[in-house]
Amino acid sequence: MSFIPGSLGFDEFGTPFIIIKDQHKQRRLTGIDALKSHIMAARSIAKTLYTSLGPKGLDKMMVSSDGEVTVTNDGATILNMMDVDHEIAKLMVQLSQSQDNEIGDGTTGVVVIAGALLEQAEHLLDQGIHPIRIADGFELAAQSACKHLDSIADSFPVDINNLEPLIKTAMTTLGSKIVNKCHRQMAEIAVNAVIAVADLDKRDVNFELIKVQGKEGGRLEDTMLVKGVVVDKDFSHPQMPKELRNVHLAILTCPFEPPKPKTKHKLDVASVEDYRALRQYEQDTFNDMVKKVKDAGATLAICQWGFDDEANHLLLKHELPAVRWVGGPEIELIAIATGGRIIPRFEEVSKEKLGYAGKVSELSFGTTKDKMLVIEECKNSRAVTIFIRGGNKMIIEEAKRSIHDALCVVRNLVQDNRIVYGGGAAEISCGIAVSTEADKISSIEQYAYRAFADALESVPLALAENSGLSPIDTLTQVRARQIKENNPALGIDCMLVGTNDMKEQNVIETLHSKKQQIILAAQLVKMILKIDDVRVPGENFD
């Protein structure tokens, strides 16, 4: 219950009442009206995402206030970019965000389940059941569904020598994305990237070591995995060599420039001799800087700051290739990959602090002058870059989001290798199990149990509808077959392959993701059902 604090008063009979400041200027919703308002807001959000679920789900186009266009079917991205005013709708946005932060995939499904649960709760409220009884019933049903998921989960070993199961799971994730025309290739890239940086003994994956970079132009099929770092820069001078071998890198965060007099000091240049002396001093300083880097044995200078044309000319003259204006995160990644130390002052340049890379080369694209640097064969081969190509900025951004989801799914499998089958199979199986459980309960919670089972079936219904199938017919057939054959891998044949067995179709989801979806949706619905009084500053309802 959300209240604006007020002071307590008593009438002549001693009955307490609350005096609230500016009450006539506030909007207030109480009881069943508040609940209905919340349910309506949350359902409208869920309805928006309903058509985006599954491999045949449709994309949404969002245009921001400054005219930037985003096309995506990633649930968390859609909700993030929607301009939502209603408080409960904001909770739905946060729900998809928490699924994205924790799991990385299943952001659309979790919102669809939450919306379906609220729809069922509305029917139960109309029957006169108390919201707390509904909320408690939903929570118990969610626990029961998670227990059932544990019992139907399969596990497969995460083996470096056999990556096929991981690739198939990543392909399931990418099936609903824009990149599904080079489905297998993207899945392999995601799996190889995670395996490159994974610590399989600790069952941990450091995402900091995977960088996703994109460049417009080219086709999605040109996307590649670079065992090293890709930097959106080129060599500072066009006459520097375009490819270097056995490179010793000096990673500098100090600018190539002579020390400047501080603002409170004044530098007087009164004669030509003074100017020449200053000029000579600058040149000597530059030479000294370049000499220190060369003497340490560096064959490439990576500089976080810029340097002027004179320094650039001296670097070329001394045959020391250099890259300028490399951003902070890239500097860190280069240091990790090459095993080098970041050097803040020229006085500290030494051989021990240099990084090593087998090859540094400049990539150029198409007929444009766009160039990028690729640092490969590094000392620490665990740092990798996924380099995405695409027709325009929107496709690249969506491909980045898709790859992120696939990376997260593979990481989850490295951490916990249990899986359930997709295509709505797990939801149908949980629905059957929860319905059966409801028959054993004598209290009023059994209504909530049955409603929970119906809500879970909203996922296979949405999948069937988005695939152009008859939703109710398809669901009832699959449900009947699951009960008859006792096969929890039967789901909706979205791709019209001709079989409902998701094991055969290789449609796989991680157990962790599915459990998280059900638990998060149930928790949010419980929270919404417990709000019965809302006060908002603004005009009164009357």
Side-chain angles (χ1 to χ4, degrees):
M1 188 152 107
S2 55
F3 254 126
I4 290 170
S7 54
L8 191 64
F10 294 91
D11 64 10
E12 65 267 33
F13 304 109
T15 312
F17 60 89
I18 293 175
I19 304 161
I20 292 177
K21 188 181 170 192
D22 293 338
Q23 188 162 358
H24 64 289
K25 290 183 187 166
Q26 289 168 13
R27 294 189 300 149
R28 184 177 182 189
L29 268 178
T30 54
I32 206 87
D33 290 337
L35 283 167
K36 287 279 178 78
S37 159
H38 298 160
I39 289 170
M40 193 178 83
R43 277 180 59 194
S44 66
I45 290 283
K47 201 181 273 182
T48 309
L49 290 193
Y50 190 85
T51 54
S52 289
L53 191 67
K56 300 275 180 80
L58 302 173
D59 290 2
K60 304 277 179 273
M61 180 188 274
M62 265 83 58
V63 184
S64 67
S65 52
D66 54 1
E68 196 175 316
V69 179
T70 305
V71 177
T72 180
N73 74 350
D74 179 67
T77 311
I78 294 169
L79 291 184
N80 241 348
M81 301 191 74
M82 276 169 68
D83 201 4
V84 177
D85 273 344
H86 197 285
E87 300 70 35
I88 299 297
K90 283 179 184 163
L91 291 179
M92 293 293 266
V93 175
Q94 287 165 13
L95 169 71
S96 75
Q97 202 57 53
S98 62
Q99 174 79 11
D100 199 34
N101 295 344
E102 192 64 25
I103 307 293
D105 188 33
T107 49
T108 312
V110 71
V111 176
V112 169
I113 293 172
L117 282 172
L118 286 166
E119 190 174 343
Q120 293 296 332
E122 191 169 17
H123 298 323
L124 296 177
L125 287 169
D126 290 341
Q127 289 172 29
I129 300 174
H130 194 278
I132 295 299
R133 301 298 291 269
I134 300 170
D136 290 346
F138 279 174
E139 193 160 357
L140 292 169
Q143 288 168 11
S144 168
C146 290
K147 235 182 249 167
H148 178 69
L149 281 172
D150 282 332
S151 68
I152 63 167
D154 282 356
S155 70
F156 62 75
V158 174
D159 180 9
I160 294 183
N161 303 317
N162 178 22
L163 298 177
E164 196 56 34
L166 288 173
I167 291 168
K168 283 171 179 167
T169 317
M171 282 171 74
T172 304
T173 306
L174 295 170
S176 61
K177 311 289 183 192
I178 201 167
V179 297
N180 64 4
K181 74 186 188 84
C182 41
H183 204 164
R184 168 109 198 164
Q185 180 195 351
M186 290 290 187
E188 284 176 2
I189 285 173
V191 170
N192 289 329
V194 171
I195 292 299
V197 304
D199 185 336
L200 292 175
D201 298 331
K202 289 184 185 168
R203 301 185 80 104
D204 188 33
V205 178
N206 182 1
F207 267 5
E208 296 289 311
L209 295 173
I210 302 176
K211 186 164 183 279
V212 183
Q213 187 98 11
K215 195 79 176 170
E216 290 151 50
R219 305 168 305 153
L220 271 172
E221 286 85 346
D222 298 335
T223 298
M224 60 183 175
L225 179 68
V226 178
K227 292 281 176 75
V229 185
V230 178
V231 187
D232 195 358
K233 298 285 166 201
D234 55 357
F235 288 116
S236 59
H237 199 290
Q239 289 172 3
M240 286 175 181
K242 301 296 176 221
E243 187 175 309
L244 305 171
R245 292 276 177 182
N246 299 328
V247 188
H248 295 276
L249 296 95
I251 304 165
L252 307 168
T253 56
C254 39
F256 261 102
E257 59 182 29
K260 286 189 168 68
K262 299 285 182 283
T263 47
K264 59 187 174 186
H265 299 300
K266 199 166 74 159
L267 189 66
D268 283 330
V269 178
S271 64
V272 175
E273 282 71 32
D274 285 355
Y275 180 74
R276 282 190 183 138
L278 178 65
R279 183 98 185 67
Q280 191 58 45
Y281 168 71
E282 279 192 5
Q283 201 156 4
D284 292 348
T285 312
F286 278 136
N287 278 324
D288 187 41
M289 287 171 176
V290 176
K291 188 170 181 295
K292 279 181 178 143
V293 177
K294 286 281 284 187
D295 289 352
T299 53
L300 173 64
I302 301 254
C303 194
Q304 185 174 6
W305 305 108
F307 34 82
D308 62 18
D309 293 343
E310 188 170 358
N312 205 3
H313 167 71
L314 284 169
L315 286 164
L316 179 70
K317 190 172 147 191
H318 288 90
E319 295 179 357
L320 178 62
V323 185
R324 54 183 162 188
W325 299 121
V326 180
E330 282 94 346
I331 284 271
E332 284 180 25
L333 205 60
I334 292 168
I336 293 168
T338 59
R341 299 277 296 279
I342 294 172
I343 303 165
R345 298 196 348 251
F346 283 100
E347 289 75 23
E348 293 178 28
V349 179
S350 67
K351 193 172 183 182
E352 298 75 50
K353 293 184 179 177
L354 300 182
Y356 175 81
K359 179 184 172 190
V360 177
S361 56
E362 204 172 75
L363 284 180
S364 54
F365 303 101
T367 54
T368 63
K369 292 189 173 64
D370 275 359
K371 292 185 176 65
M372 285 178 113
L373 276 187
V374 182
I375 301 169
E376 294 174 281
E377 299 165 26
C378 303
K379 194 179 272 186
N380 175 4
S381 61
R382 289 179 60 205
V384 296
T385 303
I386 297 171
F387 183 50
I388 298 172
R389 303 300 309 277
N392 60 25
K393 190 174 172 224
M394 274 185 291
I395 288 178
I396 288 171
E397 289 305 316
E398 180 65 349
K400 279 185 185 176
R401 286 187 283 269
S402 309
I403 287 279
H404 170 260
D405 283 9
L407 291 172
C408 290
V409 165
V410 180
R411 178 203 60 185
N412 295 341
L413 281 172
V414 169
Q415 291 174 339
D416 180 355
N417 62 355
R418 288 176 299 166
I419 50 126
V420 291
Y421 294 98
E427 282 87 352
I428 296 170
S429 185
C430 283
I432 296 165
V434 172
S435 287
T436 313
E437 196 72 27
D439 297 337
K440 301 174 191 168
I441 299 170
S442 57
S443 68
I444 209 163
E445 270 78 16
Q446 63 172 291
Y447 286 99
Y449 262 73
R450 289 204 179 88
F452 193 91
D454 289 345
L456 283 177
E457 289 177 353
S458 64
V459 171
L461 276 172
L463 290 172
E465 196 173 317
N466 294 345
S467 305
L469 302 165
S470 167
I472 309 271
D473 290 352
T474 314
L475 175 62
T476 44
Q477 282 168 22
V478 174
R479 196 169 184 276
R481 275 188 64 192
Q482 269 212 23
I483 296 169
K484 188 178 166 190
E485 299 171 27
N486 193 21
N487 180 1
L490 294 172
I492 308 294
D493 179 16
C494 296
M495 302 309 284
L496 311 178
V497 176
T499 172
N500 288 99
D501 194 326
M502 294 296 133
K503 209 170 189 171
E504 276 180 46
Q505 283 202 33
N506 291 315
V507 178
I508 307 165
E509 293 189 60
T510 59
L511 172 70
H512 188 35
S513 164
K514 196 52 72 186
K515 278 167 82 169
Q516 191 80 6
Q517 277 187 343
I518 291 172
I519 291 166
L520 287 179
Q523 280 176 354
L524 179 75
V525 170
K526 183 176 181 182
M527 181 182 167
I528 291 172
L529 288 173
K530 289 179 92 164
I531 301 170
D532 80 327
D533 195 336
V534 186
R535 290 172 172 275
V536 186
E539 288 307 308
N540 205 333
F541 281 124
D542 298 335

